[in-house]
Amino acid sequence: QAQAFVSCLQRNLADPAAAMSPRWSNAGAAMLATAWTLGSIANVSAQGLSSWIGDLSLHLPQNLTFSMPMGMGELELEGGTCHGFQLQKFVPTDNSSSLVLEFGVELIGFGIHCDIQGQDNGTISMSVVAAGSNLTAAVSIHPYFPEASPNLPLPLGHVNLTSCVADINIVDFEVTGTSSLATLLAGFPKDLLAQMMGGFLSEPLCNGLKGLVEQEGTAALHKGALMSEAFLSEPAPIHQPVALRPLLDWGAYPPVMVMRALLNERFSMWAGRAISLLDFSSLSQQLVSEQGVDMLLDNIFVQGVVGHAAPGVSIYGKGSTLGFSADLEDLSLKATLRLGVALPGQPSLSEVINLTVGLNNISVAARAYVDEPMLGKSEVDQVIQSPSCILQCTAGTADPQNESLALESMRVSLKPLLRVEATGRLEQEVSTLINTVISSLYAGYLPSLNVLINGVLGLAREKVDELMWRAFDNLPPCSYSTMLLGLSTAGVDGLGVASGVVAVLGVVSAGFAQWQWGPKRSGARDLQSKLERAESNEIASEDSSAASSQVASTVPTASSLAGEAFVPWAFAVFYPFAVVSLMLLLLYADLALGATVSVVMASEEHSTMLGPLFSFSLLSTVVHSWTSGAYFLSILCVLTSGVWPFVKLSLLLVTWLSPPTRLSLQSRGRILGVLDMWGKYSFLDSWFLVLSISAFALQWQSIGDAYMKVSTTPRSGFYAFFTATGLSLVLGHIASECHTHAAKVAHRTSDLVVLAAASLSSENPQPQLEGEEDRDADCTEPQAAVVEAGECPSKASPAEAANASHASHVALMSLSLASGSRKARCAMVALLGAALVLISAGIFATSFEFEIGGIFTEFLFEGEVRKQYSLMSLAQSVTEEAGFSAGLFVLEIIFLLLVIIVPLTLLVFLSVLWLAPMPLRYQEVLLRICYVLDNWSSLDVAVLVLVIATFQFGTMTNHLVERGHFAAPCRMIKDVTQSECMQIALTPHAPAVMTVFAGVAIIVVPKLALSSCAASIFKKAQVARHQEAFACKGQAD
């Protein structure tokens, strides 16, 4: 029909004589050509039609001869133009009855200006202006009964012009020329001549229109009837190629079975909702593009309203065939027809027509030869990022490959609805005419039209397949080599391999050092022996000057931690390799995939994982957080999980290798203390994953055995990061312990040198150095606090001094650390007790919930999903909701240990340390244990994650839905349902305040308690050392 319109338009606009029959030997031929052309254009009405036809210039036919009235002779038309067409009103009517269609049209108030050149024994030129003219005509179309299908009549039979009344009103008529006819007409008054010409044109116009419609129209419809008979038979089944590989059975494919169960059980809950089933809005099909005329069909989609009873939409699979059908209320196909006309010497026309076709049912089935093992290896994000990857699943299944994917059937069932809509007065009137004609066609010929359209669709299958594979050929090649900071996926994996290689080299180097130099340095054995002898007073009993020299020789020279005598050669060598290995492992973890969100679909003991829908790495989390507007989360992830771990490992390397001349003992201690205290904040990214596992955990269970589950799975990047973070904390503690031991050795040797010097000074008095008097006074002050008499024990006998020293030492060792005023002791006890209660309440209180909304949860669960958690239940949900796996089990145990068990254990141990009397050595060990527990306690990190997630988790996850791997299917769901796909938010409850205060308490209270306990132990140790020195001096006296 479109091509017929173009041909008609071109003949009338460019060469009207070629379209005219020789039978048109009357003066109405020019007007008839104009009317037919304008009628053809009006059938594709659109915005701007009135102004366009007003500016249109029509060429009249040449060499056309017609008789003049009243025996005035023959006029040979040599040409001319018509322009300035106007139409006041366009009124259609419908007089159809059963299979006989009859349509009428009334043109009210139309006008035109024509300039005509002719020959009649001389030249003649006429200028005719018509205005306010009227034309009423009616056409009937009879049915045609095909011989092969007489029960399927078509409206393609005989055409009759049943009525025609023309009232041509000529308002201006001018004639010039050399012919006698021109001379004759020029002698008439202009008004009389115009009235005469109006009456002359009316009857020939109807006669010419009758001949055109009944003869040319009937012939055209008959040709169409003969062509249509081929489409009335059932389309032949397409050729089935031989399968070259074992194929996927779509009928047993779990996603198809789950979707079928979902539609059967859940689809009716959308009753009354308009949904879009097929959306080809991005597809533009060029219908015509020929000699300045373009016709484009685009914005095609199928929409319907869900009913209350039947599901309305079904998905089915059988063997290699996969299809769907829809039977919805108000089901319709909508499209936009864009018309453009740009002919030489004519104004341009750009029109838009909205089409709506009513449908009762639509079904599509396709052959899909898919290699099942290859399909299992394909991931959703791969397919979305590079759709040509899915074609790899069809490779080798058929020969040629384009036989593997083909359209098997397309069927529609029309309902009595075809609506054309356009803007503008004339456009709306012409649209009414078209809608009237289509309504009558549907009323009498709907069964025949359904068969005819399905026949056309059946024959169009090969064309659709050709277009489909042409689109496939234009796709970019399948490639999933992700570039991260200039590294491919293989390059990122290489970082993990390099980390292992460095660790192995460290082990080999450590083994070589142990083999070459032994497990322990000789200096360490000599140092330990001399210290033990010095402390047992063996050296003091020898010659005084020799003793002093031997003790002084025990003082070690300045050395780094790696060079300390007590550090084994193997470990001193391995430590730098371990640090570098962890740096490479952290770099791998930052770039590699950390976690994925996937969908598991299962039915009848078969399951399939589709995914990942979302993928997380540290780099992608930072990028997604930043682009979604969650700037604080993005910056925090960069600092705590990106920059800080590398800074920590670099500082560990510096403290391990730098000698005291470069890094003083005090500075080294402060650096290691900061690293131990803040190292745990690298777990922020790990606890964020725990939160995500609970947020995305959704499961739908059908009435039968089908189910669908959304779960988050940690990947190699997460485990690498978690391992590297834990090992870096361990390396930090090792360096701290080595530093503490080195400081103790230095302090012990310094004290022994002082004692030896004091012994020499008692035999050979020397001038006292400045400041020594103050030091001696400080040393005697703690002794007075222990001895009840308050007198200096130096006046007692050796036996009395020893007994007094032993008694005071036993009394000192039996004391607890709760020293100081009564208020201070009670305040510490109350602080620890309150912190224990507050933290316990904060851990077990239901403090937040996830709100998951959107069409996804509405379809599965009839509304929003709300999941409430405490920190304890959050830890337990890791394996309960995401499904058991060894990795998730380890993650759950570690979260429970570090976030819940370690903080509570820390407070209990601090209470015991503060209140329970025990030997000094046990108190020092327990203090060190509490110090380590405080460094691993991650309750504050988890609370920080909750606080950040409250404000920015929803922003980031919604961004992932809209921009991540799930963006394409989510946009499709949004287009189908006109609703948001999925929205996730974290909402705090009132007890969250208690959880936040618990996080603050675990930061502040242990630090205060550790500081008080350390100060008490230091004082206790000072007193013990002074008592030992006093006892030694008493025995010497």
Side-chain angles (χ1 to χ4, degrees):
Q1 290 176 351
Q3 296 206 357
F5 157 71
V6 173
S7 300
C8 177
L9 182 65
Q10 290 172 339
R11 286 197 304 268
N12 288 309
L13 293 181
D15 188 9
M20 295 296 177
S21 170
R23 291 188 293 269
W24 293 9
S25 56
N26 54 66
M31 297 295 292
L32 182 59
T34 303
W36 178 255
T37 300
L38 293 175
S40 301
I41 297 172
N43 283 334
V44 286
S45 60
Q47 184 179 1
L49 181 60
S50 298
S51 60
W52 182 70
I53 61 176
D55 296 335
L56 195 63
S57 179
L58 302 176
H59 296 277
L60 298 178
Q62 300 178 0
N63 302 322
L64 185 66
T65 302
F66 54 90
S67 299
M68 300 296 291
M70 297 179 294
M72 288 188 294
E74 298 287 333
L75 176 62
E76 182 181 354
L77 189 62
E78 292 183 341
T81 59
C82 291
H83 56 86
F85 183 83
Q86 297 176 353
L87 181 61
Q88 182 179 352
K89 196 171 184 181
F90 187 91
V91 180
T93 59
D94 182 13
N95 300 316
S96 302
S97 175
S98 186
L99 296 180
V100 179
L101 307 179
E102 184 173 350
F103 308 107
V105 62
E106 184 178 3
L107 301 178
I108 301 175
F110 74 85
I112 195 168
H113 183 184
C114 293
D115 295 316
I116 306 171
Q117 290 82 40
Q119 188 69 239
D120 179 29
N121 297 322
T123 62
I124 181 172
S125 297
M126 294 180 288
S127 177
V128 184
V129 178
S133 301
N134 300 316
L135 174 65
T136 302
V139 176
S140 65
I141 304 173
H142 295 265
Y144 169 79
F145 296 91
E147 294 182 4
S149 305
N151 59 331
L152 296 174
L154 297 173
L156 299 173
H158 185 70
V159 182
N160 291 328
L161 183 66
T162 58
S163 66
C164 179
V165 178
D167 181 15
I168 307 300
N169 182 29
I170 303 298
V171 297
D172 190 16
F173 185 88
E174 294 182 358
V175 60
T176 59
T178 61
S179 68
S180 57
L181 179 60
T183 304
L184 177 64
L185 294 177
F188 287 92
K190 183 179 289 188
D191 295 341
L192 177 61
L193 183 60
Q195 183 179 2
M196 181 180 64
M197 292 302 296
F200 163 69
L201 291 174
S202 297
E203 184 177 352
L205 177 61
C206 286
N207 292 335
L209 186 60
K210 182 178 179 64
L212 174 66
V213 170
E214 293 186 354
Q215 296 179 29
E216 299 293 335
T218 300
L221 292 183
H222 181 68
K223 182 183 294 185
L226 296 178
M227 295 175 59
S228 299
E229 288 193 45
F231 302 112
L232 295 177
S233 58
E234 185 71 20
I238 62 174
H239 167 70
Q240 293 288 334
V242 177
L244 304 180
R245 291 187 180 180
L247 301 178
L248 175 70
D249 183 0
W250 291 107
Y253 188 46
V256 174
M257 301 169 72
V258 171
M259 290 305 299
R260 186 163 57 236
L262 270 171
L263 293 174
N264 288 334
E265 297 179 22
R266 306 297 306 156
F267 198 74
S268 59
M269 58 84 56
W270 277 350
R273 180 190 292 271
I275 64 171
S276 180
L277 295 174
L278 296 175
D279 189 353
F280 302 104
S281 55
S282 60
L283 175 64
S284 297
Q285 179 61 45
Q286 190 80 37
L287 300 179
V288 176
S289 180
E290 185 178 348
Q291 299 182 9
V293 178
D294 294 303
M295 194 177 294
L296 183 71
L297 191 67
D298 65 359
N299 198 27
I300 308 168
F301 61 93
V302 177
Q303 190 177 62
V305 177
V306 181
H308 291 79
V313 175
S314 62
I315 296 177
Y316 58 91
K318 183 178 180 181
S320 59
T321 300
L322 180 64
F324 88 97
S325 64
D327 184 5
L328 302 176
E329 299 176 3
D330 297 333
L331 185 64
S332 61
L333 181 148
K334 297 187 177 183
T336 301
L337 184 66
R338 303 182 186 275
L339 173 67
V341 179
L343 299 176
Q346 301 290 352
S348 298
L349 174 66
S350 179
E351 307 293 348
V352 177
I353 307 118
N354 296 320
L355 304 176
T356 301
V357 180
L359 301 173
N360 277 324
N361 177 273
I362 180 172
S363 63
V364 178
R367 177 178 65 238
Y369 280 8
V370 173
D371 188 339
E372 186 171 9
M374 184 68 70
L375 179 64
K377 296 177 182 178
S378 300
E379 295 185 342
V380 170
D381 60 340
Q382 237 180 312
V383 175
I384 293 174
Q385 291 188 24
S386 182
S388 57
C389 293
I390 194 63
L391 294 180
Q392 290 184 347
C393 300
T394 67
T397 58
D399 188 18
Q401 186 181 0
N402 59 9
E403 294 285 341
S404 60
L405 292 177
L407 196 62
E408 289 189 339
S409 67
M410 287 189 300
R411 301 188 66 85
V412 298
S413 175
L414 299 177
K415 66 172 57 174
L417 171 64
L418 191 150
R419 186 169 56 250
V420 176
E421 297 175 340
T423 58
R425 179 189 57 81
L426 179 59
E427 289 82 349
Q428 292 177 358
E429 292 174 354
V430 176
S431 298
T432 302
L433 171 62
I434 297 174
N435 295 332
T436 301
V437 172
I438 297 300
S439 177
S440 296
L441 279 173
Y442 278 176
Y445 296 94
L446 184 58
S448 301
L449 292 176
N450 277 323
V451 174
L452 184 64
I453 289 177
N454 285 318
V456 173
L457 292 176
L459 294 178
R461 290 174 298 183
E462 293 185 2
K463 181 64 176 178
V464 174
D465 292 342
E466 180 182 342
L467 292 174
M468 178 179 65
W469 279 99
R470 188 181 301 167
F472 287 160
D473 293 337
N474 293 330
L475 290 173
C478 178
S479 175
Y480 195 59
S481 178
T482 307
M483 298 300 292
L484 299 169
L485 300 181
L487 293 176
S488 64
T489 305
V492 173
D493 293 338
L495 292 173
V497 174
S499 172
V501 170
V502 172
V504 171
L505 288 176
V507 173
V508 173
S509 301
F512 176 79
Q514 178 154 346
W515 172 76
Q516 184 71 21
W517 298 303
K520 196 171 184 180
R521 309 181 194 188
S522 58
R525 290 190 292 268
D526 296 341
L527 175 63
Q528 186 66 24
S529 175
K530 290 181 179 180
L531 287 175
E532 291 175 354
R533 290 176 58 203
E535 291 175 346
S536 62
N537 208 28
E538 292 180 11
I539 295 179
S541 62
E542 299 175 0
D543 179 69
S544 297
S545 61
S548 178
S549 300
Q550 291 184 27
V551 172
S553 67
T554 64
V555 179
T557 58
S559 175
S560 64
L561 283 178
E564 290 290 349
F566 59 85
V567 177
W569 281 112
F571 192 78
V573 171
F574 176 73
Y575 195 93
F577 284 93
V579 171
V580 174
S581 175
L582 290 183
M583 285 183 173
L584 292 173
L585 188 60
L586 279 171
L587 188 58
Y588 163 77
D590 289 345
L591 300 179
L593 203 60
T596 57
V597 179
S598 305
V599 177
V600 177
M601 294 185 176
S603 180
E604 297 181 3
E605 299 182 355
H606 299 283
S607 65
T608 298
M609 177 176 285
L610 300 179
L613 301 180
F614 308 120
S615 298
F616 299 96
S617 66
L618 176 64
L619 184 62
S620 67
T621 300
V622 170
V623 172
H624 287 310
S625 301
W626 186 267
T627 54
S628 66
Y631 303 117
F632 183 74
L633 178 60
S634 178
I635 294 172
L636 197 65
C637 286
V638 169
L639 294 179
T640 59
S641 300
V643 176
W644 170 240
F646 291 98
V647 171
K648 176 181 178 180
L649 289 173
S650 300
L651 290 175
L652 284 178
L653 201 59
V654 170
T655 57
W656 187 258
L657 298 177
S658 298
T661 56
R662 296 283 185 179
L663 186 67
S664 67
L665 201 66
Q666 293 80 5
S667 298
R668 187 172 71 189
R670 283 194 294 268
I671 291 174
L672 290 174
V674 170
L675 296 182
D676 285 344
M677 181 182 300
W678 299 103
K680 61 183 177 181
Y681 283 90
S682 296
F683 285 123
L684 184 141
D685 200 47
S686 302
W687 302 157
F688 194 83
L689 174 64
V690 173
L691 202 65
S692 300
I693 289 176
S694 299
F696 289 106
L698 293 171
Q699 181 169 343
W700 173 82
Q701 178 71 51
S702 71
I703 298 175
D705 59 353
Y707 71 87
M708 180 175 65
K709 180 171 65 176
V710 181
S711 61
T712 305
T713 305
R715 302 290 287 268
S716 60
F718 168 77
Y719 293 119
F721 183 84
F722 199 85
T723 301
T725 301
L727 291 178
S728 65
L729 283 174
V730 171
L731 289 180
H733 293 321
I734 291 174
S736 296
E737 291 300 323
C738 291
H739 167 77
T740 302
H741 188 71
K744 285 182 178 180
V745 170
H747 190 72
R748 288 167 63 189
T749 54
S750 176
D751 285 349
L752 291 176
V753 169
V754 170
L755 288 174
S759 176
L760 287 175
S761 63
S762 64
E763 297 179 3
N764 302 304
Q766 298 291 334
Q768 191 175 31
L769 297 177
E770 183 179 355
E772 288 185 359
E773 184 177 0
D774 295 337
R775 179 179 175 183
D776 292 340
D778 293 339
C779 292
T780 58
E781 184 178 353
Q783 300 176 33
V786 178
V787 181
E788 293 182 2
E791 298 179 358
C792 182
S794 58
K795 298 179 181 180
S797 66
E800 292 174 344
N803 292 334
S805 175
H806 178 71
S808 62
H809 183 74
V810 171
L812 178 66
M813 292 300 101
S814 64
L815 293 176
S816 68
L817 298 181
S819 59
S821 66
R822 180 181 181 85
K823 290 184 179 180
R825 295 196 301 270
C826 293
M828 180 58 65
V829 173
L831 186 63
L832 289 171
L836 187 60
V837 172
L838 177 62
I839 290 173
S840 300
I843 288 173
F844 292 96
T846 301
S847 54
F848 67 97
E849 72 174 9
F850 286 111
E851 297 179 3
I852 308 173
I855 201 65
F856 186 73
T857 56
E858 185 178 347
F859 181 52
L860 293 179
F861 309 107
E862 301 185 11
E864 286 188 348
V865 174
R866 296 176 179 269
K867 301 189 295 182
Q868 300 181 349
Y869 292 98
S870 64
L871 285 177
M872 185 67 185
S873 61
L874 179 66
Q876 295 172 338
S877 68
V878 173
T879 55
E880 288 179 359
E881 297 185 344
F884 180 83
S885 70
L888 289 177
F889 179 73
V890 172
L891 176 61
E892 179 178 305
I893 294 300
I894 293 177
F895 185 83
L896 281 169
L897 183 66
L898 299 185
V899 175
I900 297 174
I901 297 176
V902 168
L904 296 176
T905 304
L906 171 62
L907 293 175
V908 171
F909 280 15
L910 285 173
S911 301
V912 171
L913 179 62
W914 182 253
L915 296 174
M918 63 183 72
L920 177 63
R921 187 175 64 178
Y922 291 166
Q923 289 174 335
E924 289 178 342
V925 171
L926 187 56
L927 177 67
R928 197 63 188 167
I929 292 174
C930 290
Y931 174 75
V932 173
L933 289 177
D934 183 50
N935 293 333
W936 282 86
S937 172
S938 296
L939 174 62
D940 50 337
V941 183
V943 171
L944 178 61
V945 168
L946 287 179
V947 172
I948 297 170
T950 300
F951 299 99
Q952 304 209 304
F953 184 79
T955 302
M956 191 195 74
T957 53
N958 294 333
H959 175 80
L960 281 174
V961 171
E962 296 173 0
R963 303 286 183 87
H965 297 154
F966 196 50
C970 208
R971 280 194 299 268
M972 181 186 70
I973 294 173
K974 184 176 180 180
D975 293 339
V976 168
T977 62
Q978 307 303 313
S979 301
E980 291 296 332
C981 177
M982 180 187 293
Q983 292 180 319
I984 303 176
L986 188 148
T987 304
H989 289 177
V993 176
M994 189 162 46
T995 304
V996 172
F997 278 114
V1000 175
I1002 200 62
I1003 297 175
V1004 176
V1005 173
K1007 304 296 187 298
L1008 294 176
L1010 285 171
S1011 177
S1012 298
C1013 291
S1016 297
I1017 289 177
F1018 178 76
K1019 292 179 180 179
K1020 194 173 181 180
Q1022 263 192 330
V1023 172
R1025 285 198 301 270
H1026 283 257
Q1027 287 179 349
E1028 291 175 357
F1030 169 75
C1032 293
K1033 186 176 181 181
Q1035 291 176 5
D1037 293 339

